Amino acid sequence: MSLTRKRENTINFSPGPAALPDEVVREARENVMNYKGLGLGVMELSHRSPEYTALNLQTQDLLRSLLHIPSNYQVLFQQGGGTAQFAAIPLNLTPSEDTTADYFITGMWSQKAAKEGEKFVKVNHVLSKADGGYMTIPEQSQWNLTPGAGFVYYCANETVHGVEFPEPPDVGSVPLVCDASSNFLTRPIDIAKHAVVYAGAQKNVGCAGVTVVIVREDLLGKCRPYTPVVLDYAVTAKAKSVYNTPPVWSVYILNLVLKWIQKHGGVEGI
Ligand SMILES: *Cc1c(COP(=O)(O)O)cnc(C)c1O
């Protein structure tokens, strides 16, 4: 690989960590050394400082306005990537290992989610096994949904296999969970149809280190007693996502990307 290749001559198609807008990288570069003239860089900023408190809350508000998130939903930041959510979802949403949860397996990521889910719930496959590879989503008449399931899980866009749901699946009143990691903020999503929508930042809205979790408020406080505290949605919500040291840098980059999206016409514009 040439060591003299210029950023402006490079087209980076990597799905994640994905390319960031130049404007964002340029602004971040300044603030690595000196954040808003405070005399210290953003990575050195205390997560209990008024500056981070403002940044944290503003970032949550930006998500609220860009996605038109209804007021009965909380916007949380957790760590551990999308992969941590594979466990956080069943732990927060279901009372015991006897609960059945329905998974749409449409590619590698939902398959991984279901494999992790098997540790915590009885996993039911909504679709029959895709023998010819993951090419399509069978029509609703072929779905095998469990009445009264703990939740229904789907991956809005399979980053590796490329299968994308045109709209959230209609699963009636069962809580619907969406892994939106790889199409997050590329188009509007009706949050109100979901119990939880989550997305790791590095695919579309920033860098690795922070996962956005949008959760309906009435689902908080029902996690299993042995849920690790850093995955407990209610604890994260109560602490406004600063229960322990948050990934200040990752939230900062997320903030810049959200402002960039806002400037370019919001999610509708994107
Ligand atoms: C990348 C990806 C994940 C896993 O994210 P990590 O941050 O690596 O844990 C989960 N779901 C989807 C759709 C992804 O693209």
Side-chain angles (χ1 to χ4, degrees):
M1 197 199 295
S2 163
L3 296 175
T4 55
R5 181 183 280 281
K6 291 197 170 93
R7 180 180 175 89
E8 53 270 32
N9 295 337
T10 306
I11 300 171
N12 178 0
F13 284 115
S14 172
L20 290 165
D22 284 348
E23 279 165 73
V24 165
V25 177
R26 243 180 257 120
E27 184 169 346
R29 182 172 62 184
E30 297 306 314
N31 288 282
V32 165
M33 292 298 286
N34 194 347
Y35 182 68
K36 291 188 169 176
L38 287 172
L40 48 82
V42 62
M43 282 180 277
E44 302 155 296
L45 191 62
S46 165
H47 59 289
R48 306 283 174 200
S49 64
E51 289 77 18
Y52 183 72
T53 303
L55 178 77
N56 178 44
L57 298 179
Q58 184 192 57
T59 310
Q60 293 166 23
D61 284 347
L62 280 163
L63 282 161
R64 279 195 179 280
S65 91
L66 285 168
L67 284 170
H68 315 292
I69 298 175
S71 58
N72 61 327
Y73 285 74
Q74 294 269 345
V75 178
L76 316 179
F77 300 143
Q78 290 194 332
Q79 301 190 53
T83 304
Q85 295 305 313
F86 299 167
I89 296 291
L91 286 170
N92 277 278
L93 299 190
T94 66
S96 82
E97 286 161 28
D98 297 330
T99 315
T100 297
D102 287 352
Y103 283 75
F104 281 92
I105 314 281
T106 52
M108 190 189 91
W109 289 112
S110 46
Q111 198 176 27
K112 285 193 170 182
K115 186 157 183 276
E116 182 76 348
E118 278 169 9
K119 295 177 186 170
F120 308 107
V121 284
K122 294 198 170 106
V123 169
N124 170 58
H125 290 220
V126 177
L127 308 175
S128 52
K129 296 247 173 2
D131 294 330
Y134 300 106
M135 307 296 278
T136 186
I137 299 163
E139 54 186 87
Q140 193 159 1
S141 61
Q142 296 177 42
W143 298 354
N144 170 31
L145 292 167
T146 311
F151 60 85
V152 180
Y153 183 102
Y154 77 106
C155 177
N157 183 57
E158 280 286 352
T159 319
V160 177
H161 287 92
V163 175
E164 185 171 31
F165 278 79
E167 56 193 84
D170 180 3
V171 298
S173 58
V174 175
L176 182 62
V177 175
C178 175
D179 173 2
S181 295
S182 71
N183 65 0
F184 194 53
L185 272 57
T186 62
R187 59 185 200 183
I189 176 169
D190 189 350
I191 300 293
K193 289 191 172 148
H194 297 84
V196 180
V197 175
Y198 75 84
Q202 76 272 22
K203 300 287 161 58
N204 269 343
V205 289
C207 65
V210 63
T211 307
V212 176
V213 182
I214 301 162
V215 55
R216 213 174 63 214
E217 247 161 23
D218 61 283
L219 298 163
L220 296 175
K222 295 179 180 168
C223 75
R224 298 194 201 166
Y226 49 84
T227 305
V229 70
V230 291
L231 296 182
D232 182 332
Y233 292 160
V235 169
T236 308
K238 187 154 180 273
K240 299 201 176 346
S241 299
V242 196
Y243 175 75
N244 66 326
T245 317
V248 170
W249 171 255
S250 304
V251 172
Y252 170 65
I253 297 295
L254 170 62
N255 180 280
L256 295 185
V257 173
L258 296 178
K259 283 180 184 156
W260 182 86
I261 291 173
Q262 193 178 50
K263 198 172 123 186
H264 291 272
V267 175
E268 291 77 8
I270 295 293

